[in-house]
Amino acid sequence: MKRIRRLVTALTTAALLSPLLPSPAAADAPPAPGRPIDPRPSTEQLQRHLDRIEKKSRGAVEVATIGTTNQGRPILNATVGDGPVRLMYITQQHGNEPLGTPAALKLLEELATGPDRAERELLDRVTLDIVVRANPDGHELDQRYNHDPDADPEYGAPGTGYDPNRYHDPALAPEDNPVPEAAAVRRRYEAFDPHLVVDYHMQGRYADDDGEEITASLMWPTHPDVSPGAVALSRQAVAVSAEAMDDSYDGANVSRYPGGNYQGIARNAYGLLGSGSVLVELSATGPDMEQAQIVSAYDSMYALAEGAADGSLFATDPADADDLPERGAPLPPAQDQAQPLHVEGDDLD
């Protein structure tokens, strides 16, 4: 509850700074047509891109290495803004679920290199902290898990690696964590102390009850020991993010994610630690839809930051999250695109 109480103070401070920010038009988001965004930059390309953003921002963006993988790759983090409300975004805990990462890069570019007046005001009210690809080894190896040939995990694959999004348990200290990627995220969480954590993943293909394809699924913490205040903020964030993603492009169709209660997944763990916590799962709708899905993730990120800045996020009725439909039945994978792996019987993010 301490983070929720501090959030009330932060919001009171933010409300005194200036009038509400004007709302940008949907066209302000990067368009699906036109110059494409690289959906799968290598870790070296990611490092160079972040370094360019940091340099171009003239200090507005701070890029840091918050950990190192078993193959020696940096786990990169970027921070922008000076506001009292703190949002933490995590992308690509699972290496073969890539599309949140380019969306985060686009957001950093938009906010930090030539922001307009509204965006400068946003950054006076909000601080964004982004783990930009939490699992670089998994990305380079095109696998869900991290790289650990010695792994004999409860969650993961023996001889291959651990599933990073099963190792955020609040009872597991970072120094005792066998997964360097999850330990790095947890250390960064403790240092940044966010009010809201949003974790971007990908899922397979699903249809709703009307047969329409689901393009993304969202969920709040479901562990029974998460405080009511943290759950309420999480549900507000789900509602705001879902609306932005539904409006992102024609055919977007957002549902509720049917995740479980395990305390080791980020959605539940950071709720148990006192923050609002949200899972965003972009659907693997195929190569032709990747640019639109990157835009959709960007819209989610921007809408949450904007809503935190102007206060509309915290005025949202948490019950609006209940309007999201159930995810529905699975569909075959899109042509030329494998579904992100979910172990049979394990639908835990």
Side-chain angles (χ1 to χ4, degrees):
M1 288 296 291
K2 62 178 183 177
R3 287 182 174 85
I4 301 302
R5 284 195 293 270
R6 283 201 298 271
L7 178 58
V8 174
T9 302
L11 290 173
T12 302
T13 302
L16 296 174
L17 292 176
S18 62
L20 295 182
L21 301 178
S23 201
D28 290 341
R35 183 178 180 182
I37 302 168
D38 185 351
R40 294 171 182 80
S42 70
T43 301
E44 290 184 0
Q45 291 170 325
L46 182 65
Q47 175 86 71
R48 290 196 297 269
H49 198 157
L50 286 170
D51 288 346
R52 287 197 301 271
I53 291 173
E54 183 178 39
K55 183 176 181 180
K56 191 174 179 181
S57 76
R58 299 181 180 180
V61 174
E62 296 181 7
V63 177
T65 297
I66 60 171
T68 304
T69 69
N70 289 327
Q71 289 191 319
R73 294 186 176 91
I75 301 167
L76 298 168
N77 190 86
T79 307
V80 62
D82 300 299
V85 184
R86 297 180 301 281
L87 307 184
M88 181 177 185
Y89 298 158
I90 305 166
T91 75
Q92 213 171 343
Q93 283 204 71
H94 296 140
N96 62 345
E97 300 175 9
L99 299 187
T101 296
L105 284 174
K106 183 64 178 176
L107 181 72
L108 288 166
E109 286 181 331
E110 292 282 325
L111 291 180
T113 57
D116 61 22
R117 178 175 176 271
E119 290 167 342
R120 288 193 297 271
E121 291 181 358
L122 185 157
L123 294 174
D124 286 337
R125 300 178 180 190
V126 170
T127 303
L128 290 175
D129 196 74
I130 305 176
V131 183
V132 191
R133 182 176 291 153
N135 183 4
D137 287 356
H139 173 82
E140 298 299 335
L141 296 168
D142 193 25
Q143 66 186 32
R144 176 182 178 90
Y145 307 125
N146 80 336
H147 172 76
D148 191 338
D150 297 325
D152 185 17
E154 180 180 5
Y155 296 100
T160 298
Y162 292 85
D163 185 329
N165 199 29
R166 301 295 182 273
Y167 290 88
H168 298 275
D169 189 333
L172 179 61
E175 59 269 23
D176 298 325
N177 198 322
V179 187
E181 296 81 2
V185 172
R186 173 71 179 278
R187 285 194 301 268
R188 185 58 200 164
Y189 172 87
E190 294 294 345
F192 184 60
D193 193 23
H195 299 105
L196 176 66
V197 178
V198 189
D199 187 22
Y200 288 85
H201 286 254
M202 292 184 67
Q203 62 183 359
R205 297 179 65 210
Y206 298 87
D208 63 20
D209 289 342
D210 295 325
E212 298 295 326
E213 180 152 10
I214 296 295
T215 57
S217 301
L218 288 77
M219 197 58 188
W220 53 87
T222 53
H223 191 285
D225 293 337
V226 178
S227 72
V231 172
L233 175 56
S234 305
R235 286 161 58 83
Q236 288 171 318
V238 164
V240 168
S241 184
E243 181 177 15
M245 298 177 83
D246 264 330
D247 291 342
S248 186
Y249 61 89
D250 289 342
N253 185 21
V254 179
S255 79
R256 190 185 315 174
Y257 187 82
N261 298 341
Y262 179 56
Q263 69 269 19
I265 60 176
R267 173 175 55 84
N268 288 320
Y270 297 118
L272 286 165
L273 286 167
S275 298
S277 187
V278 170
L279 168 74
V280 176
E281 294 261 3
L282 302 165
S283 297
T285 47
D288 291 345
M289 291 297 296
E290 285 187 339
Q291 295 300 308
Q293 289 290 68
I294 293 169
V295 171
S296 179
Y298 168 96
D299 286 348
S300 164
M301 294 174 181
Y302 195 105
L304 290 169
E306 182 188 40
D310 67 17
S312 60
L313 168 61
F314 312 105
T316 299
D317 186 347
D320 288 351
D322 292 329
D323 294 337
L324 288 178
E326 298 292 340
R327 188 178 63 183
L331 296 171
Q335 187 176 6
D336 300 325
Q337 181 160 338
Q339 292 202 89
L341 171 66
H342 288 279
V343 178
E344 185 175 355
D346 174 11
D347 212 356
L348 297 175
D349 308 18

